Amino acid sequence: MSASRAPDAVTGDGRAATYGELAERSDRVADALIAAGLEPGDRVGYVDRNATEYFELLFGAAKAGAVLVPLNFRLAPDEMRWILADAAVSLVVVGPEHAEVPAGEGVPVIVAGPAYEEWLAGARPRDPERDATVDELIVLMYSSGTTGRPKGVNITASGLASGVALFGSCFDLGGETGGAGGAVSMAPIP
């Protein structure tokens, strides 16, 4: 769907972002991650409710060659601590309600809101061109752990693209049923 038909790319936590804003902010996220010392393959944690920051981090981490590790905000502190350690996260972005996330010693925690905006303000709005290749891991999502500890589920760039394409083919996302001439999809992420 083109940006002209549906200018808002994502809406979350009361804030909408256009395609252009999402591209610019994810470029800033990528630059900020690199400035923080993250290398390709390093892990970036995310703990919050559905918010536009999730998509900024998803695309920004991929642009930096990093891997996003989204965590369910309902996890107990011990569960979060275990997953963040198992994933070996290098940095965590959290919502204001989750500022006390047990990220581990020496792991920077950036709280969404003024601190996150300040972090992005110091970053350049340009793609660092470190994008993950189609077979590289871009998301490490943990299972519920119903049979023991949660397990990391590897999602590659091609796997995510295939999933999005399959979803779109099943639900007429290019149709005329949604607002602004296109379909609207509710995505409960993470």
Short mmCIF file of all heavy atoms in Angstrom, two decimals, residues 26 29-46 54-70 87-93 119 127-133 135-141 155-157 160:
data_model
loop_
_atom_site.label_atom_id
_atom_site.label_comp_id
_atom_site.label_asym_id
_atom_site.label_seq_id
_atom_site.Cartn_x
_atom_site.Cartn_y
_atom_site.Cartn_z
N SER A 26 13.76 5.31 12.37
CA SER A 26 14.49 4.03 12.41
C SER A 26 15.94 4.25 11.96
O SER A 26 16.84 3.56 12.46
CB SER A 26 13.79 2.96 11.58
OG SER A 26 13.74 3.29 10.22
N VAL A 29 17.52 5.45 15.10
CA VAL A 29 17.73 4.32 16.01
C VAL A 29 18.97 3.55 15.60
O VAL A 29 19.83 3.22 16.43
CB VAL A 29 16.49 3.39 16.06
CG1 VAL A 29 16.82 2.07 16.73
CG2 VAL A 29 15.33 4.08 16.77
N ALA A 30 19.11 3.25 14.31
CA ALA A 30 20.27 2.51 13.82
C ALA A 30 21.56 3.25 14.16
O ALA A 30 22.52 2.66 14.67
CB ALA A 30 20.16 2.29 12.31
N ASP A 31 21.58 4.56 13.90
CA ASP A 31 22.77 5.35 14.19
C ASP A 31 23.06 5.38 15.69
O ASP A 31 24.22 5.27 16.11
CB ASP A 31 22.60 6.77 13.64
CG ASP A 31 23.90 7.55 13.68
OD1 ASP A 31 24.85 7.18 12.96
OD2 ASP A 31 23.96 8.55 14.44
N ALA A 32 22.02 5.51 16.51
CA ALA A 32 22.20 5.53 17.97
C ALA A 32 22.71 4.19 18.49
O ALA A 32 23.55 4.15 19.40
CB ALA A 32 20.88 5.91 18.65
N LEU A 33 22.24 3.09 17.92
CA LEU A 33 22.72 1.77 18.33
C LEU A 33 24.19 1.60 18.00
O LEU A 33 24.97 1.10 18.81
CB LEU A 33 21.89 0.67 17.66
CG LEU A 33 20.44 0.53 18.11
CD1 LEU A 33 19.70 -0.47 17.22
CD2 LEU A 33 20.35 0.13 19.57
N ILE A 34 24.57 2.04 16.82
CA ILE A 34 25.98 1.95 16.42
C ILE A 34 26.84 2.85 17.30
O ILE A 34 27.92 2.45 17.75
CB ILE A 34 26.13 2.29 14.92
CG1 ILE A 34 25.47 1.18 14.09
CG2 ILE A 34 27.60 2.45 14.54
CD1 ILE A 34 25.27 1.53 12.63
N ALA A 35 26.35 4.06 17.59
CA ALA A 35 27.08 4.98 18.47
C ALA A 35 27.24 4.40 19.87
O ALA A 35 28.22 4.68 20.57
CB ALA A 35 26.37 6.33 18.53
N ALA A 36 26.27 3.56 20.29
CA ALA A 36 26.34 2.91 21.61
C ALA A 36 27.30 1.72 21.60
O ALA A 36 27.48 1.06 22.62
CB ALA A 36 24.95 2.45 22.04
N GLY A 37 27.89 1.42 20.43
CA GLY A 37 28.88 0.36 20.35
C GLY A 37 28.35 -0.98 19.87
O GLY A 37 29.08 -1.97 19.87
N LEU A 38 27.08 -1.05 19.46
CA LEU A 38 26.54 -2.33 19.01
C LEU A 38 27.12 -2.70 17.65
O LEU A 38 27.26 -1.85 16.76
CB LEU A 38 25.02 -2.28 18.93
CG LEU A 38 24.33 -2.66 20.25
CD1 LEU A 38 24.47 -1.56 21.27
CD2 LEU A 38 22.89 -2.99 20.01
N GLU A 39 27.44 -3.96 17.52
CA GLU A 39 27.99 -4.53 16.29
C GLU A 39 26.90 -5.40 15.65
O GLU A 39 25.94 -5.80 16.32
CB GLU A 39 29.20 -5.40 16.62
CG GLU A 39 30.38 -4.64 17.20
CD GLU A 39 31.05 -3.74 16.18
OE1 GLU A 39 30.99 -4.04 14.97
OE2 GLU A 39 31.62 -2.71 16.59
N PRO A 40 27.05 -5.72 14.35
CA PRO A 40 26.09 -6.63 13.73
C PRO A 40 25.97 -7.92 14.53
O PRO A 40 26.95 -8.49 14.99
CB PRO A 40 26.70 -6.88 12.34
CG PRO A 40 27.44 -5.60 12.05
CD PRO A 40 28.03 -5.21 13.40
N GLY A 41 24.73 -8.34 14.73
CA GLY A 41 24.44 -9.55 15.51
C GLY A 41 24.18 -9.30 16.98
O GLY A 41 23.66 -10.17 17.68
N ASP A 42 24.55 -8.11 17.50
CA ASP A 42 24.28 -7.79 18.90
C ASP A 42 22.77 -7.69 19.12
O ASP A 42 22.00 -7.42 18.20
CB ASP A 42 24.96 -6.49 19.31
CG ASP A 42 26.45 -6.66 19.54
OD1 ASP A 42 26.94 -7.81 19.54
OD2 ASP A 42 27.14 -5.63 19.70
N ARG A 43 22.35 -7.90 20.36
CA ARG A 43 20.93 -7.98 20.70
C ARG A 43 20.44 -6.72 21.40
O ARG A 43 21.12 -6.17 22.26
CB ARG A 43 20.67 -9.19 21.60
CG ARG A 43 21.32 -10.50 21.13
CD ARG A 43 20.85 -10.93 19.75
NE ARG A 43 21.62 -11.96 19.12
CZ ARG A 43 21.52 -13.26 19.34
NH1 ARG A 43 20.73 -13.72 20.27
NH2 ARG A 43 22.25 -14.11 18.64
N VAL A 44 19.22 -6.30 21.02
CA VAL A 44 18.57 -5.12 21.59
C VAL A 44 17.25 -5.57 22.18
O VAL A 44 16.38 -6.08 21.46
CB VAL A 44 18.30 -4.05 20.50
CG1 VAL A 44 17.59 -2.85 21.11
CG2 VAL A 44 19.59 -3.65 19.81
N GLY A 45 17.07 -5.42 23.48
CA GLY A 45 15.82 -5.81 24.13
C GLY A 45 14.78 -4.72 24.04
O GLY A 45 15.10 -3.53 23.91
N TYR A 46 13.51 -5.12 24.11
CA TYR A 46 12.39 -4.16 24.12
C TYR A 46 11.34 -4.69 25.07
O TYR A 46 10.88 -5.83 24.94
CB TYR A 46 11.79 -4.00 22.72
CG TYR A 46 10.56 -3.11 22.72
CD1 TYR A 46 10.69 -1.73 22.77
CD2 TYR A 46 9.28 -3.65 22.70
CE1 TYR A 46 9.57 -0.91 22.79
CE2 TYR A 46 8.15 -2.84 22.72
CZ TYR A 46 8.30 -1.48 22.76
OH TYR A 46 7.20 -0.66 22.80
N TYR A 54 8.37 0.32 19.18
CA TYR A 54 8.67 -1.07 18.81
C TYR A 54 9.07 -1.14 17.33
O TYR A 54 10.08 -1.77 16.98
CB TYR A 54 7.47 -1.98 19.05
CG TYR A 54 7.70 -3.37 18.50
CD1 TYR A 54 8.46 -4.30 19.21
CD2 TYR A 54 7.20 -3.74 17.25
CE1 TYR A 54 8.71 -5.56 18.70
CE2 TYR A 54 7.45 -5.00 16.73
CZ TYR A 54 8.21 -5.89 17.45
OH TYR A 54 8.46 -7.14 16.94
N PHE A 55 8.30 -0.51 16.47
CA PHE A 55 8.59 -0.56 15.03
C PHE A 55 9.84 0.22 14.69
O PHE A 55 10.62 -0.19 13.82
CB PHE A 55 7.38 -0.07 14.23
CG PHE A 55 6.21 -1.00 14.37
CD1 PHE A 55 5.18 -0.71 15.25
CD2 PHE A 55 6.16 -2.18 13.64
CE1 PHE A 55 4.12 -1.58 15.40
CE2 PHE A 55 5.09 -3.06 13.78
CZ PHE A 55 4.07 -2.76 14.67
N GLU A 56 10.07 1.33 15.38
CA GLU A 56 11.31 2.08 15.18
C GLU A 56 12.52 1.21 15.52
O GLU A 56 13.51 1.19 14.80
CB GLU A 56 11.31 3.34 16.04
CG GLU A 56 10.27 4.35 15.65
CD GLU A 56 10.07 5.47 16.65
OE1 GLU A 56 10.80 5.53 17.66
OE2 GLU A 56 9.15 6.29 16.44
N LEU A 57 12.42 0.46 16.61
CA LEU A 57 13.51 -0.44 17.02
C LEU A 57 13.64 -1.64 16.09
O LEU A 57 14.75 -2.04 15.76
CB LEU A 57 13.29 -0.92 18.45
CG LEU A 57 13.63 0.09 19.52
CD1 LEU A 57 13.07 -0.35 20.86
CD2 LEU A 57 15.13 0.27 19.61
N LEU A 58 12.52 -2.21 15.67
CA LEU A 58 12.57 -3.35 14.76
C LEU A 58 13.33 -2.98 13.49
O LEU A 58 14.28 -3.66 13.10
CB LEU A 58 11.15 -3.81 14.42
CG LEU A 58 11.04 -4.89 13.34
CD1 LEU A 58 11.70 -6.19 13.78
CD2 LEU A 58 9.57 -5.13 12.98
N PHE A 59 12.92 -1.89 12.86
CA PHE A 59 13.56 -1.48 11.61
C PHE A 59 14.94 -0.89 11.85
O PHE A 59 15.86 -1.12 11.07
CB PHE A 59 12.66 -0.52 10.84
CG PHE A 59 11.35 -1.14 10.44
CD1 PHE A 59 10.15 -0.54 10.78
CD2 PHE A 59 11.31 -2.34 9.73
CE1 PHE A 59 8.93 -1.11 10.43
CE2 PHE A 59 10.09 -2.92 9.38
CZ PHE A 59 8.90 -2.30 9.73
N GLY A 60 15.11 -0.13 12.92
CA GLY A 60 16.41 0.46 13.23
C GLY A 60 17.45 -0.59 13.55
O GLY A 60 18.60 -0.51 13.10
N ALA A 61 17.07 -1.60 14.32
CA ALA A 61 18.01 -2.68 14.64
C ALA A 61 18.40 -3.42 13.38
O ALA A 61 19.58 -3.72 13.16
CB ALA A 61 17.38 -3.64 15.66
N ALA A 62 17.43 -3.70 12.50
CA ALA A 62 17.74 -4.39 11.25
C ALA A 62 18.69 -3.55 10.39
O ALA A 62 19.62 -4.08 9.79
CB ALA A 62 16.45 -4.69 10.48
N LYS A 63 18.47 -2.22 10.36
CA LYS A 63 19.36 -1.34 9.59
C LYS A 63 20.77 -1.33 10.16
O LYS A 63 21.74 -1.11 9.44
CB LYS A 63 18.80 0.08 9.57
CG LYS A 63 17.57 0.24 8.70
CD LYS A 63 17.03 1.66 8.77
CE LYS A 63 15.80 1.84 7.91
NZ LYS A 63 15.31 3.23 7.93
N ALA A 64 20.88 -1.54 11.47
CA ALA A 64 22.20 -1.56 12.13
C ALA A 64 22.81 -2.97 12.12
O ALA A 64 23.92 -3.15 12.59
CB ALA A 64 22.08 -1.06 13.56
N GLY A 65 22.06 -3.95 11.62
CA GLY A 65 22.54 -5.32 11.63
C GLY A 65 22.36 -6.00 12.98
O GLY A 65 22.88 -7.09 13.20
N ALA A 66 21.63 -5.36 13.89
CA ALA A 66 21.40 -5.91 15.23
C ALA A 66 20.14 -6.77 15.23
O ALA A 66 19.40 -6.82 14.25
CB ALA A 66 21.28 -4.78 16.25
N VAL A 67 19.89 -7.44 16.34
CA VAL A 67 18.76 -8.35 16.49
C VAL A 67 17.85 -7.83 17.59
O VAL A 67 18.30 -7.58 18.72
CB VAL A 67 19.26 -9.77 16.86
CG1 VAL A 67 18.10 -10.72 17.10
CG2 VAL A 67 20.21 -10.30 15.80
N LEU A 68 16.57 -7.67 17.28
CA LEU A 68 15.60 -7.21 18.28
C LEU A 68 15.12 -8.40 19.10
O LEU A 68 14.79 -9.46 18.56
CB LEU A 68 14.42 -6.52 17.61
CG LEU A 68 13.38 -5.95 18.57
CD1 LEU A 68 13.99 -4.83 19.42
CD2 LEU A 68 12.17 -5.43 17.80
N VAL A 69 15.06 -8.21 20.42
CA VAL A 69 14.55 -9.23 21.35
C VAL A 69 13.37 -8.62 22.09
O VAL A 69 13.53 -7.96 23.13
CB VAL A 69 15.64 -9.68 22.36
CG1 VAL A 69 15.09 -10.77 23.28
CG2 VAL A 69 16.89 -10.16 21.63
N PRO A 70 12.15 -8.79 21.55
CA PRO A 70 10.97 -8.24 22.23
C PRO A 70 10.55 -9.14 23.38
O PRO A 70 10.53 -10.36 23.24
CB PRO A 70 9.91 -8.20 21.12
CG PRO A 70 10.31 -9.29 20.18
CD PRO A 70 11.81 -9.41 20.28
N ALA A 87 19.63 -14.15 26.01
CA ALA A 87 19.77 -13.51 24.71
C ALA A 87 21.04 -12.67 24.62
O ALA A 87 21.43 -12.27 23.53
CB ALA A 87 18.56 -12.63 24.43
N ALA A 88 21.67 -12.41 25.74
CA ALA A 88 22.89 -11.60 25.80
C ALA A 88 22.66 -10.21 25.19
O ALA A 88 23.41 -9.77 24.32
CB ALA A 88 24.06 -12.31 25.13
N VAL A 89 21.60 -9.54 25.68
CA VAL A 89 21.29 -8.21 25.15
C VAL A 89 22.40 -7.21 25.51
O VAL A 89 23.03 -7.32 26.57
CB VAL A 89 19.92 -7.68 25.63
CG1 VAL A 89 18.79 -8.58 25.15
CG2 VAL A 89 19.88 -7.50 27.12
N SER A 90 22.61 -6.28 24.61
CA SER A 90 23.62 -5.23 24.80
C SER A 90 23.00 -3.92 25.23
O SER A 90 23.71 -3.04 25.73
CB SER A 90 24.39 -5.01 23.49
OG SER A 90 25.05 -6.18 23.12
N LEU A 91 21.69 -3.77 25.03
CA LEU A 91 20.98 -2.54 25.34
C LEU A 91 19.50 -2.89 25.40
O LEU A 91 19.05 -3.79 24.67
CB LEU A 91 21.25 -1.52 24.23
CG LEU A 91 20.63 -0.14 24.33
CD1 LEU A 91 21.65 0.89 23.84
CD2 LEU A 91 19.37 -0.03 23.50
N VAL A 92 18.73 -2.19 26.24
CA VAL A 92 17.30 -2.44 26.35
C VAL A 92 16.55 -1.11 26.30
O VAL A 92 16.94 -0.15 26.95
CB VAL A 92 16.95 -3.16 27.68
CG1 VAL A 92 15.46 -3.45 27.76
CG2 VAL A 92 17.74 -4.45 27.83
N VAL A 93 15.47 -1.09 25.52
CA VAL A 93 14.56 0.06 25.50
C VAL A 93 13.29 -0.40 26.19
O VAL A 93 12.76 -1.48 25.88
CB VAL A 93 14.26 0.53 24.06
CG1 VAL A 93 13.21 1.64 24.07
CG2 VAL A 93 15.55 1.02 23.39
N TRP A 119 18.02 10.44 23.26
CA TRP A 119 18.92 9.45 22.64
C TRP A 119 18.85 9.55 21.12
O TRP A 119 19.87 9.55 20.44
CB TRP A 119 18.51 8.07 23.14
CG TRP A 119 19.33 6.91 22.69
CD1 TRP A 119 20.66 6.68 22.94
CD2 TRP A 119 18.88 5.78 21.94
NE1 TRP A 119 21.05 5.49 22.39
CE2 TRP A 119 19.97 4.91 21.77
CE3 TRP A 119 17.64 5.42 21.42
CZ2 TRP A 119 19.87 3.70 21.09
CZ3 TRP A 119 17.54 4.21 20.74
CH2 TRP A 119 18.64 3.37 20.58
N ASP A 127 20.64 6.09 6.90
CA ASP A 127 20.76 4.64 6.96
C ASP A 127 22.25 4.28 6.97
O ASP A 127 22.98 4.66 6.06
CB ASP A 127 20.08 4.03 5.73
CG ASP A 127 20.01 2.51 5.78
OD1 ASP A 127 20.82 1.88 6.49
OD2 ASP A 127 19.15 1.94 5.09
N PRO A 128 22.71 3.55 7.99
CA PRO A 128 24.13 3.19 8.06
C PRO A 128 24.53 2.08 7.08
O PRO A 128 25.70 1.72 6.99
CB PRO A 128 24.31 2.73 9.50
CG PRO A 128 22.97 2.25 9.90
CD PRO A 128 21.98 3.11 9.15
N GLU A 129 23.55 1.54 6.36
CA GLU A 129 23.80 0.51 5.35
C GLU A 129 24.51 -0.72 5.91
O GLU A 129 25.43 -1.26 5.32
CB GLU A 129 24.54 1.11 4.16
CG GLU A 129 23.74 2.22 3.51
CD GLU A 129 24.41 2.82 2.30
OE1 GLU A 129 25.35 2.23 1.75
OE2 GLU A 129 23.95 3.90 1.89
N ARG A 130 24.03 -1.16 7.07
CA ARG A 130 24.51 -2.40 7.68
C ARG A 130 23.39 -3.43 7.69
O ARG A 130 23.40 -4.35 8.49
CB ARG A 130 24.88 -2.14 9.15
CG ARG A 130 26.19 -1.50 9.41
CD ARG A 130 26.24 -1.28 10.92
NE ARG A 130 27.52 -1.53 11.50
CZ ARG A 130 27.75 -1.47 12.81
NH1 ARG A 130 26.78 -1.19 13.65
NH2 ARG A 130 28.94 -1.69 13.29
N ASP A 131 22.41 -3.27 6.82
CA ASP A 131 21.21 -4.11 6.82
C ASP A 131 21.55 -5.60 6.88
O ASP A 131 22.50 -6.06 6.26
CB ASP A 131 20.37 -3.87 5.56
CG ASP A 131 19.83 -2.46 5.49
OD1 ASP A 131 19.74 -1.81 6.53
OD2 ASP A 131 19.51 -2.01 4.37
N ALA A 132 20.71 -6.31 7.61
CA ALA A 132 20.85 -7.76 7.67
C ALA A 132 20.53 -8.35 6.30
O ALA A 132 19.68 -7.85 5.59
CB ALA A 132 19.88 -8.32 8.71
N THR A 133 21.23 -9.41 5.94
CA THR A 133 20.90 -10.11 4.70
C THR A 133 19.68 -10.97 4.94
O THR A 133 19.25 -11.18 6.09
CB THR A 133 22.08 -10.99 4.23
OG1 THR A 133 22.29 -12.02 5.20
CG2 THR A 133 23.34 -10.17 4.04
N ASP A 135 19.13 -14.06 5.06
CA ASP A 135 19.27 -15.24 5.91
C ASP A 135 19.76 -14.93 7.31
O ASP A 135 19.94 -15.84 8.12
CB ASP A 135 20.21 -16.25 5.25
CG ASP A 135 19.64 -16.81 3.96
OD1 ASP A 135 18.40 -16.97 3.88
OD2 ASP A 135 20.42 -17.07 3.03
N GLU A 136 19.97 -13.66 7.62
CA GLU A 136 20.45 -13.29 8.95
C GLU A 136 19.30 -13.09 9.92
O GLU A 136 18.20 -12.65 9.55
CB GLU A 136 21.30 -12.02 8.88
CG GLU A 136 22.65 -12.26 8.25
CD GLU A 136 23.51 -11.02 8.21
OE1 GLU A 136 23.00 -9.94 7.86
OE2 GLU A 136 24.70 -11.15 8.54
N LEU A 137 19.58 -13.38 11.16
CA LEU A 137 18.63 -13.22 12.25
C LEU A 137 18.34 -11.74 12.46
O LEU A 137 19.26 -10.92 12.52
CB LEU A 137 19.24 -13.81 13.52
CG LEU A 137 18.42 -13.81 14.79
CD1 LEU A 137 17.20 -14.71 14.63
CD2 LEU A 137 19.28 -14.29 15.96
N ILE A 138 17.05 -11.37 12.53
CA ILE A 138 16.70 -9.98 12.85
C ILE A 138 15.83 -9.87 14.09
O ILE A 138 15.78 -8.81 14.71
CB ILE A 138 16.06 -9.24 11.66
CG1 ILE A 138 14.74 -9.87 11.25
CG2 ILE A 138 17.01 -9.11 10.50
CD1 ILE A 138 13.94 -9.00 10.30
N VAL A 139 15.15 -10.96 14.46
CA VAL A 139 14.33 -10.97 15.67
C VAL A 139 14.57 -12.28 16.40
O VAL A 139 14.60 -13.35 15.78
CB VAL A 139 12.81 -10.82 15.37
CG1 VAL A 139 11.98 -10.91 16.64
CG2 VAL A 139 12.52 -9.51 14.65
N LEU A 140 14.76 -12.19 17.71
CA LEU A 140 14.86 -13.36 18.57
C LEU A 140 13.71 -13.25 19.55
O LEU A 140 13.74 -12.45 20.48
CB LEU A 140 16.21 -13.39 19.29
CG LEU A 140 16.46 -14.55 20.24
CD1 LEU A 140 16.36 -15.89 19.50
CD2 LEU A 140 17.81 -14.40 20.91
N MET A 141 12.65 -14.02 19.28
CA MET A 141 11.43 -13.94 20.08
C MET A 141 11.35 -15.19 20.96
O MET A 141 11.51 -16.31 20.45
CB MET A 141 10.21 -13.83 19.17
CG MET A 141 8.94 -13.49 19.91
SD MET A 141 7.57 -13.13 18.78
CE MET A 141 8.07 -11.54 18.14
N ILE A 155 14.09 -15.60 14.01
CA ILE A 155 13.33 -15.10 12.86
C ILE A 155 14.31 -14.33 11.97
O ILE A 155 14.87 -13.32 12.38
CB ILE A 155 12.16 -14.20 13.31
CG1 ILE A 155 11.23 -14.99 14.25
CG2 ILE A 155 11.40 -13.66 12.09
CD1 ILE A 155 10.15 -14.17 14.89
N THR A 156 14.50 -14.85 10.77
CA THR A 156 15.40 -14.21 9.81
C THR A 156 14.64 -13.13 9.04
O THR A 156 13.40 -13.07 9.08
CB THR A 156 15.95 -15.23 8.81
OG1 THR A 156 14.86 -15.77 8.06
CG2 THR A 156 16.72 -16.34 9.51
N ALA A 157 15.38 -12.31 8.31
CA ALA A 157 14.76 -11.28 7.48
C ALA A 157 13.82 -11.91 6.46
O ALA A 157 12.68 -11.45 6.28
CB ALA A 157 15.83 -10.45 6.79
N LEU A 160 10.64 -13.25 8.23
CA LEU A 160 9.69 -12.18 8.57
C LEU A 160 8.97 -11.70 7.31
O LEU A 160 7.75 -11.53 7.31
CB LEU A 160 10.41 -11.02 9.25
CG LEU A 160 9.53 -9.86 9.69
CD1 LEU A 160 8.48 -10.31 10.71
CD2 LEU A 160 10.37 -8.74 10.29
#
